[in-house]
Amino acid sequence: MSEAASEKNTVLMEKIVSLCKRRSFIFQSAEIYGGLNGCWDYGPLGAELKRNLKEYWWRRNVQEREDILGMDGSILTHQEVLKASGHVGGFSDPMCDCLLSKARLRADQIDPQDGTVYQYSGASHEESGWSVDREYSVLVTEGQDENKARKTARLYYSQFLTDKQISPKKLELAGESTEEVTGTTSFNPENGSQLTEPREFNLMFKTHMGASAEDGDESSVAYLRPETAQTIFTQFKNVAETNRVKLPFGIAQIGKSFRNEINPRNYTFRSREFEQMEIEFFCRPDEGMALTDEWLEKRLKFYEEIGIPREHLHILDVPDGERAHYSKKTYDIEYEFPFGIQELEGVAYRTDYDLSKHKECSGKPLEFFDDETKEKLIPHVVEPSAGCDRTILALICEAFDEETVTDDKGKEEVRTVMRFSPRMAPIKVAVLPLLKNKPELVEKAREVQALLTPFMTVFYDETAAIGRRYRRQDEVGTPFCVTVDFDTLGEAGDELKDTVTLRHRDSMEQERIAIADLRNFLLDQIH
Ligand code: GAP
């Protein structure tokens, strides 16, 4: 991406973040206390948007299908479950610390750098007789002053001063030597300081349960689940035995997951607390590969149905060696976020890995009797695993638009409009009396509101000029506005009596519609 395009996308992202706060979609968690990094709170409109997404996902994947059952598992997870799944031993990212700023970085996300490494063996302060022997190095990249290395090194060594009154500038550096390097990832790109060697950092949130928790009793250890999938595997037998199911069939779940991400970033994209929408689709071994392709298509169609067009999605067929250890085939569905093309969902063929592991570790039989082949088997599984918060962010990015429009007086202005699909829009319709000081208009508008409220989210607004009220609705993505005016009351004759103006958000076109037809018209649009 060119520098100009990257700058444009940064500005776009800033506008999106600002709108989300201003219009009550997303707030930083614990903002009044300085914020809780990697956690976000959804405001009234964000909560509606999220509900619409989750309800539609549930409807399409559970309620409209005979072969998928829903469940809602616990977040606190037995340590044995996550030992069996491999999360306790292996769910980690390589992490290193900046020796100067103490910033924690993901080792695999540091861009390789070229330059000159300045190495030192220690530092001293002549007047006080203080000294420290400790190796440290700094990277100076092309165009940077070599004095930067010395300044950084003095700052580093000053951490060990016992007398904090001594200025770092007064320190004498020892044993300076230099070396040219290419492609190094051992230095912090922000300040050139040496980093620690990468260490594996487990991403799970660990907690203790019960009365023995305070004694540090190991058996009281539990975890906040890092994925919803594991509860599906551990309840597979219960669900299969208490429902009449035959292969292939799925179990679906929507719920919170938690990962202690080293660098939460890109707004809500990489959070520490997030929601997943996962299906484990159990099948016969010979069906796994084909079902993975089928699920990919189904999921792409789903994104289209919620307003994310195919041309903004990318499919990554994850190559051998880069897939999770349990997967024989994985597609990542990626979206063009303003900050880059990034993963929205993974569709993975997990084989019989999970059920076999849980069978082995729990010692419980997890075989399933296949009525058709009259065989007992550990089913294989295809897993479409979507991130709810990431999809919300994609919906918001996709919806955001600014266009220049000319008002009635010929004045140009920028209209900010969130072009959510009506199905996802947090508010489906705004009901607006033309004037608030005409009781007949207000009464009629309230009647229209009452007619629609049981079926959809309706927003009633009587303040400000009608044009301003339309703009406010545009900014939160309300697809339809209904205005009650004097024609509604019959002042222009019987033909227009009990009709209202229906304004379409995207085209801004207006049409007349009978109040009696309004409910069905809107239900058709938002279903
Ligand atoms: N059960 C498989 C699984 O959890 P994953 O690729 O680690 O696979 C699936 O996660 C989806 O969950 C991702 O595609 C993403 O949408 C979402 N997700 C994962 N980590 C996330 C995070 N830190 N913040 C927000 N969403 C996340």
Side-chain angles (χ1 to χ4, degrees), residues 226-227 229 259 261 268-272 274 276 278 280 326 343-346 350 383 385-387 389-390:
E227 60 174 10
R259 296 183 190 177
E261 298 285 357
T268 60
F269 180 82
R270 191 175 302 287
S271 306
R272 289 183 168 142
F274 55 95
Q276 290 185 307
E278 294 195 298
E280 305 304 326
Y326 51 72
E343 178 186 329
L344 261 191
E345 166 161 359
R350 294 178 76 127
E383 176 197 64
S385 169
D389 305 81
R390 279 195 193 170

Side-chain angles (χ1 to χ4, degrees), residues 221-449:
V221 167
Y223 295 92
L224 302 190
R225 65 181 174 196
E227 60 174 10
T228 56
Q230 293 307 321
T231 31
I232 300 183
F233 295 126
T234 51
Q235 293 302 349
F236 163 76
K237 203 168 171 57
N238 278 333
V239 175
E241 281 178 1
T242 53
N243 294 274
R244 272 185 295 125
V245 286
K246 54 182 195 333
L247 289 175
F249 73 94
I251 305 178
Q253 178 168 212
I254 299 178
K256 290 259 184 177
S257 292
F258 301 82
R259 296 183 190 177
N260 195 6
E261 298 285 357
I262 298 168
N263 287 328
R265 61 188 176 153
N266 288 333
Y267 199 25
T268 60
F269 180 82
R270 191 175 302 287
S271 306
R272 289 183 168 142
E273 173 174 342
F274 55 95
E275 255 176 302
Q276 290 185 307
M277 307 185 289
E278 294 195 298
I279 302 165
E280 305 304 326
F281 200 71
F282 300 98
C283 61
R284 299 183 188 93
D286 58 354
E287 296 168 327
M289 282 298 201
L291 278 170
T292 310
D293 286 350
E294 266 178 44
W295 270 108
L296 172 68
E297 278 311 311
K298 282 198 180 73
R299 296 303 304 144
L300 291 169
K301 187 160 171 280
F302 176 87
Y303 287 112
E304 270 181 320
E305 288 170 3
I306 60 171
I308 301 178
R310 191 84 160 228
E311 58 270 25
H312 293 170
L313 294 172
H314 297 250
I315 298 151
L316 176 71
D317 186 351
V318 183
D320 290 347
E322 287 179 29
R323 290 191 295 272
H325 58 282
Y326 51 72
S327 167
K328 221 170 169 177
K329 178 99 186 158
T330 298
Y331 294 112
D332 283 350
I333 301 176
E334 302 175 320
Y335 174 72
E336 288 174 12
F337 288 99
F339 44 81
I341 297 173
Q342 299 273 357
E343 178 186 329
L344 261 191
E345 166 161 359
V347 181
Y349 174 26
R350 294 178 76 127
T351 67
D352 59 353
Y353 178 83
D354 303 271
L355 287 180
S356 298
K357 273 279 166 200
H358 287 302
K359 178 186 157 190
E360 179 191 321
C361 298
S362 67
K364 300 282 178 337
L366 293 180
E367 286 84 1
F368 180 84
F369 182 72
D370 186 349
D371 240 358
E372 208 171 289
T373 60
K374 307 293 176 213
E375 265 180 77
K376 263 187 158 186
L377 79 161
I378 296 276
H380 279 221
V381 71
V382 175
E383 176 197 64
S385 169
C388 179
D389 305 81
R390 279 195 193 170
T391 309
I392 291 294
L393 186 57
L395 286 173
I396 288 173
C397 293
E398 187 64 39
F400 183 86
D401 193 18
E402 287 179 323
E403 63 175 9
T404 306
V405 289
T406 313
D407 71 11
D408 314 340
K409 294 171 195 116
K411 207 176 119 216
E412 280 198 343
E413 61 170 2
V414 174
R415 177 171 92 113
T416 303
V417 49
M418 293 297 277
R419 299 189 191 274
F420 291 122
S421 79
R423 188 174 269 152
M424 289 296 115
I427 301 168
K428 306 301 184 191
V429 60
V431 176
L432 319 169
L434 186 63
L435 299 170
K436 76 166 175 184
N437 55 3
K438 294 282 173 213
E440 324 81 273
L441 289 177
V442 169
E443 192 186 333
K444 196 75 189 166
R446 287 291 189 192
E447 267 175 39
V448 174
Q449 178 194 16

Side-chain angles (χ1 to χ4, degrees), residues 69-96:
L69 301 158
M71 71 165 281
D72 187 4
S74 70
I75 285 171
L76 285 168
T77 308
H78 197 301
Q79 52 175 300
E80 296 305 327
V81 171
L82 296 163
K83 280 183 192 163
S85 65
H87 285 89
V88 171
F91 190 54
S92 56
D93 279 337
M95 168 219 80
C96 47

